[in-house]
Amino acid sequence: MKNFLIVRKGNFSAIYEKRSMLILFITAIVCILSILFSLSMGQKHISLFKIIQVLMGGTGSGDSLIIHSIRLPRTLVALFVGTSLGLAGAVLQGVVKNPLAAPNIIGITDSGSVGALVFLTIFTNPKNNALTTSIFYMPIFAFIGAFSAVLLVYFLAFKKGVTPYRLIMIGIAVAGAAKALTSILILNGPVVFIKEAQLWITGTVYGTNWTHVKLLSSWFMVLFVLTIVFTRELNIQNLDDGISIGLGSSVEKNRFILMVLSAALASGAVAVGGGVSFVGLIAPHICRKLTNSSFENILPLSALIGGIIVVLSDVAARTLFFPLDLPVGIFTAGIGAPFFIYLLIKNQQTLRGRI
């Protein structure tokens, strides 16, 4: 056991491979570097030395204002949107035991968008396009929408139990219905709201501020802790249901709880960053290439890789076609859609006969 680190506290226990911990540490360093890179890039390039100086408390310059007021909150929002979606995807793939699972593919992200749009439709003043209540209530509406999708998918997929592949197929149908509802809400909402809503549905972190950072970071940290608590259950969920039941696991109950956690993580990202797609699909796959299939390693690594993907995609969105500031979702979809097709082709033999 020299290559493993064992952690035990009460009923909680976890085994960490030392090589995987090294990969996690390196990924964390890459994540920090991607944040610094994001802070340096823009209409005005800021040196790494100046960024570190400002972050360490240096003030009194135009660079300090640019970093603290514009770039840092936007970068942190992109980071937490990515970590939320990466973690949500890892949990969902573990629950349904399917590499094609992702929050946007089975309708969680789209249904969260419906909930968020309901909030914006109800609480937007059409005269000045301003919210009439606190934005902190928006994730609640997004979660209600995402949770409704989980309930609907679970209910329709239930047939003497829930099979992972039925969840995927029915989830795709629910995603399509949620997209239709999204279009209806946008077309029937305030006129001033249509353009902004379309950009938001694509996925964007443009215009985010410190309020959004506080909102999303607190939402993510609470759910991250809850997800870590269920790490052992995720490992069990990856086994055959008969074996899981033999190990004393309440398979259906815990599967539902984990799907709700995935929906909650995705809804937080949707509420602030809109419909950023495919991050929850890509991040867990990259993790499995880097480390073993144990969720003690996959969960934190998926979160970090998801954060890196969205942060770097946002850098591309605001710099490659300057002065245009494109939605970050265009770049994540540009990477994720071909990747999804590749996975679909790769797993088509497995899919046959198991739905």
Side-chain angles (χ1 to χ4, degrees):
M1 300 293 287
K2 290 183 179 179
N3 294 324
F4 295 90
L5 176 66
I6 302 174
V7 178
R8 287 193 183 95
K9 189 170 183 180
N11 293 328
F12 176 81
S13 64
I15 300 177
Y16 296 95
E17 185 185 21
K18 291 183 179 179
R19 175 181 171 276
S20 296
M21 292 183 67
L22 177 61
I23 291 171
L24 182 63
F25 175 76
I26 293 171
T27 306
I29 296 297
V30 173
C31 185
I32 293 170
L33 291 176
S34 68
I35 292 171
L36 295 175
F37 178 67
S38 176
L39 295 177
S40 71
M41 299 299 292
Q43 184 176 2
K44 179 182 179 182
H45 177 75
I46 302 176
S47 68
L48 179 61
F49 174 77
K50 185 65 178 178
I51 291 169
I52 295 174
Q53 186 181 36
V54 170
L55 293 178
M56 294 296 289
T59 57
S61 69
D63 291 340
S64 176
L65 181 64
I66 291 171
I67 292 172
H68 283 299
S69 300
I70 302 173
R71 294 187 187 175
L72 186 56
R74 176 169 177 163
T75 299
L76 290 178
V77 166
L79 175 70
F80 283 113
V81 166
T83 54
S84 298
L85 292 174
L87 188 58
V91 171
L92 201 57
Q93 288 181 15
V95 170
V96 304
K97 294 177 274 194
N98 192 318
L100 302 179
N104 64 294
I105 291 171
I106 72 164
I108 292 176
T109 300
D110 294 304
S111 299
S113 296
V114 171
L117 284 173
V118 169
F119 169 83
L120 292 173
T121 301
I122 294 173
F123 298 108
T124 297
N125 186 339
K127 294 181 180 179
N128 57 12
N129 200 28
L131 286 176
T132 58
T133 188
S134 173
I135 195 174
F136 278 86
Y137 293 110
M138 191 171 172
I140 297 174
F141 277 74
F143 174 69
I144 291 171
F147 181 67
S148 300
V150 170
L151 286 177
L152 183 60
V153 170
Y154 206 84
F155 174 76
L156 294 176
F158 194 89
K159 187 178 180 181
K160 297 179 181 179
V162 176
T163 62
Y165 289 92
R166 283 179 63 83
L167 282 174
I168 290 292
M169 296 298 107
I170 292 172
I172 291 172
V174 170
K179 283 184 172 69
L181 284 174
T182 296
S183 299
I184 291 171
L185 286 168
I186 291 175
L187 292 174
N188 288 279
V191 175
V192 293
F193 170 62
I194 293 176
K195 183 179 179 181
E196 292 181 8
Q198 288 284 12
L199 288 172
W200 178 79
I201 289 300
T202 306
T204 181
V205 292
Y206 175 79
T208 49
N209 53 46
W210 285 107
T211 299
H212 297 103
V213 175
K214 293 174 184 177
L215 173 66
L216 187 53
S217 61
S218 56
W219 185 266
F220 169 77
M221 292 308 298
V222 170
L223 292 171
F224 178 76
V225 172
L226 290 175
T227 304
I228 294 300
V229 170
F230 277 88
T231 300
R232 179 176 178 273
E233 184 55 42
L234 267 172
N235 285 323
I236 294 175
Q237 288 278 333
N238 255 339
L239 303 173
D240 183 82
D241 285 0
I243 298 174
S244 300
I245 293 170
L247 291 172
S249 173
S250 301
V251 176
E252 295 295 342
K253 173 187 171 183
N254 289 322
R255 180 175 289 157
F256 181 74
I257 292 172
L258 287 164
M259 287 185 69
V260 170
L261 281 174
S262 178
L265 284 161
S267 65
V270 167
V272 177
V276 179
S277 57
F278 290 108
V279 176
L281 176 72
I282 301 170
H285 279 278
I286 295 175
C287 293
R288 292 186 181 94
K289 295 292 183 182
L290 295 175
T291 183
N292 58 42
S293 58
S294 172
F295 278 92
E296 285 87 354
N297 303 313
I298 288 177
L299 292 180
L301 198 57
S302 291
L304 286 173
I305 291 176
I308 293 169
I309 290 171
V310 178
V311 167
L312 294 181
S313 294
D314 182 54
V315 173
R318 58 187 167 86
T319 59
L320 290 183
F321 298 93
F322 184 82
L324 295 176
D325 195 328
L326 299 177
V328 66
I330 292 176
F331 290 87
T332 58
I335 299 169
F339 189 74
F340 178 70
I341 293 171
Y342 160 75
L343 288 175
L344 194 61
I345 294 171
K346 182 180 178 183
N347 291 277
Q348 62 181 344
Q349 294 297 327
T350 307
L351 287 168
R352 290 175 183 171
R354 296 185 64 180
I355 299 175

